[in-house]
Amino acid sequence: MSSSLDPDLTGQNDLRGGTSPWGGAALRPRGARLTESIKTEVLVVGGGITGSLAAQHLAALGIEVCILDREQPGLGSTNASTAMLQWEIDCPLSELTKFYGFDQAASIYRRSLAAVQGLTGLVQSLQIPCLYRQRSTLYIAGAEGRSSELHAEHELRQRAGLPGQFIEYRDLLSTFGIDRAAAILSPGSADADPLLLSWGLLKTAVGQGARLIDAMATEYHSSSSAVVVETDSPFVIEARHVILATGYVMPDFVGSALHSTASSWAIATVPQKADNLWPGGELIWEATESYLYARTTKDGRIIIGGGDDDTVDPAERDAKAQAKEEFLIQSLGRLWPAADPTIAYSWSGAFGETEDGLPLIGPVPGYPRLLAAYGYGGNGITFSFMASRILAALSCGQREAWFDAFALDRPSPVG
Ligand SMILES: Cc1cc2nc3c(=O)[nH]c(=O)nc-3n(C[C@H](O)[C@H](O)[C@H](O)COP(=O)(O)OP(=O)(O)OC[C@H]3O[C@@H](n4cnc5c(N)ncnc54)[C@H](O)[C@@H]3O)c2cc1C
């Protein structure tokens, strides 16, 4: 099993292109160089949003933790995220039910809802300045979509005890100004500046005693008692557990038959004139294969993303930027005709996906004490939060049955 992105050759600049609106003038956290070999309880490899969430949680639990990043933490995929922090999974509940049965699918959805609630509570309690806003989502039928499919999804969600309201065509048009067959309006999601969120968590973790180290993990030697990690310095780090949070660049020995890498594109407009945004600033996403999504920002921009395809090569992704911008502008014009379509930011990034839309979280098969935190798809950050809780429990020897839904070696649901 292997990743399609070479772990040695794929740097942050290969993971994303263009410029996103994130980070502002915040101070960038940077690790210290290793000057000796060290031991720690848990080593987190990767200082993006996944590693930051894991490190902050472990540090808050009083567990000794080091975070390793070979580049500037946060400037990998985290900086490319549109940061729609949704509990609704890329794979609709109806689809997930076909894969795993209703009870398990419903339980996974409820875990996802709890993860966003947990993230919201965390950001509020730590008061992380990251433009975090609680949002509802508006899951709209595609341009050619029918209301019956969305209605069936809504009924299934109701049965699962998930919050949400079915919106008929006329109400959708009169309340939201959106001309689609139907939608599901659901509370419980959020948006944020992902880079400020990630850096804020990392700084909190360091304030709680975590060590941030500037080095590359090159080899992992795992045994029943510890993992020794070689680095690109003369020194090694020995840990009781290692959490791999290297984003879409997975070491060769990790992998999953379920996983593939694609690309996604996004633009942010100039700030819109007052009252020129949909009323509640809902996170909008479309029930289509081509995957279109839109959100607003605190300073009044519209971010619209999608046009995903299976491009992996960074140069090829960059070369498609102009065509994708045109596609996104046209899509914006159809979704929200009143928008000023002037582009202020345009960017793209590698995008990991799994067949069931679920992340890869848990022990790395065959490598004792190595744990993976790979939150894939449009719910990447929601799943990163979930990973931080699951992996902290596992590193304390506390396993729960529901963790298995995300296991790296779970069989393919599509045969
Ligand atoms: C265009 C786009 C839109 C997206 N929109 C959303 C969205 O709306 N909502 C959402 O939830 N998710 C979204 N995602 C997905 C989300 O961005 C990712 O799930 C998330 O950023 C992954 O974070 P990460 O910390 O795992 O990876 P990264 O941010 O890539 O961090 C991994 C870190 O590991 C380091 N590293 C790698 N290898 C090593 C090594 N050997 N040694 C030391 N350090 C190493 C890297 O330098 C990097 O800093 C989107 C992604 C893209 C591309």
Side-chain angles (χ1 to χ4, degrees):
M1 295 189 288
S2 70
S3 158
S4 40
L5 295 174
D6 186 313
D8 297 323
L9 302 178
T10 309
Q12 292 178 337
N13 284 337
D14 303 307
L15 285 174
R16 43 156 192 80
T19 308
S20 65
W22 311 129
L27 280 179
R28 299 166 170 215
R30 186 89 206 203
R33 302 293 300 177
L34 270 180
T35 52
E36 58 180 348
S37 293
I38 57 170
K39 282 188 183 181
T40 184
E41 286 278 296
V42 181
L43 173 68
V44 178
V45 184
I49 186 66
T50 310
S52 303
L53 276 162
Q56 188 280 324
H57 185 50
L58 290 161
L61 292 174
I63 296 171
E64 186 188 28
V65 58
C66 291
I67 311 124
L68 198 65
D69 204 303
R70 62 185 178 187
E71 294 185 75
Q72 167 67 60
L75 296 191
S77 300
T78 298
N79 194 25
S81 182
T82 45
M84 293 173 46
L85 310 174
Q86 288 177 245
W87 58 263
E88 294 162 291
I89 299 170
D90 286 350
C91 185
L93 182 56
S94 49
E95 191 80 8
L96 209 58
T97 295
K98 280 186 213 149
F99 290 158
Y100 298 123
F102 174 73
D103 288 346
Q104 172 145 349
S107 156
I108 290 168
Y109 258 74
R110 287 192 295 265
R111 296 277 175 197
S112 182
L113 176 62
V116 183
Q117 286 167 346
L119 181 59
T120 301
L122 180 71
V123 172
Q124 286 172 346
S125 69
L126 296 175
Q127 299 192 329
I128 294 177
C130 61
L131 307 175
Y132 198 93
R133 304 181 301 176
Q134 287 178 269
R135 300 279 100 172
S136 291
T137 56
L138 197 60
Y139 182 46
I140 58 172
E144 313 295 327
R146 287 176 299 142
S147 71
S148 55
E149 285 156 19
L150 275 193
H151 197 259
E153 174 72 10
H154 170 67
E155 292 206 315
L156 212 53
R157 290 183 185 190
Q158 294 285 98
R159 209 178 123 203
L162 296 162
Q165 182 188 345
F166 186 72
I167 312 277
E168 307 273 1
Y169 172 78
R170 259 189 297 174
D171 289 342
L172 186 60
L173 194 58
S174 62
T175 310
F176 297 94
I178 291 178
D179 183 10
R180 294 293 171 89
I184 303 173
L185 177 67
S186 310
S189 290
D191 64 23
D193 177 323
L195 200 47
L196 291 181
L197 174 60
S198 183
W199 286 346
L201 288 161
L202 207 50
K203 286 173 194 166
T204 309
V206 170
Q208 289 166 325
R211 280 181 71 177
L212 179 59
I213 295 166
D214 181 6
M216 171 172 169
T218 53
E219 295 287 341
Y220 301 83
H221 305 281
S222 114
S223 71
S224 57
S225 57
V227 186
V228 176
V229 177
E230 290 183 37
T231 68
D232 58 351
S233 79
F235 308 111
V236 301
I237 304 176
E238 183 181 324
R240 209 165 47 82
H241 284 99
V242 170
I243 293 179
L244 298 170
T246 55
Y248 301 141
V249 189
M250 300 152 93
D252 281 335
F253 57 85
V254 185
S256 164
L258 303 171
H259 170 243
S260 61
T261 308
S263 287
S264 192
W265 287 261
I267 54 170
T269 67
V270 293
Q272 301 289 316
K273 289 204 180 80
D275 299 329
N276 201 15
L277 295 171
W278 46 97
E282 289 80 8
L283 311 179
I284 299 178
W285 64 301
E286 203 182 62
T288 58
E289 291 286 312
S290 61
Y291 202 64
L292 195 76
Y293 51 94
R295 59 164 280 194
T296 60
T297 63
K298 214 164 186 173
D299 62 355
R301 302 174 195 279
I302 297 172
I303 292 179
I304 182 161
D308 298 17
D309 70 28
D310 58 8
T311 307
V312 178
D313 179 60
E316 205 182 313
R317 188 169 58 232
D318 288 347
K320 289 182 175 177
Q322 198 180 340
K324 296 290 181 179
E325 281 173 12
E326 281 162 21
F327 162 78
L328 291 172
I329 287 294
Q330 277 170 15
S331 303
L332 177 60
R334 281 194 294 272
L335 181 72
W336 195 248
D340 177 345
T342 312
I343 297 176
Y345 299 92
S346 167
W347 71 101
S348 62
F351 198 76
E353 295 170 324
T354 55
E355 287 173 355
D356 55 10
L358 302 183
L360 303 170
I361 302 172
V364 177
Y367 291 81
R369 298 184 171 274
L370 261 178
L371 303 167
Y374 294 114
Y376 285 110
N379 305 85
I381 296 172
T382 303
F383 291 145
S384 298
F385 180 89
M386 203 186 265
S388 70
R389 272 51 191 168
I390 292 177
L391 299 183
L394 286 176
S395 58
C396 297
Q398 296 155 4
R399 198 191 144 272
E400 292 184 41
W402 67 272
F403 297 171
D404 293 350
F406 311 110
L408 273 71
D409 54 356
R410 65 183 183 270
S412 165
V414 291

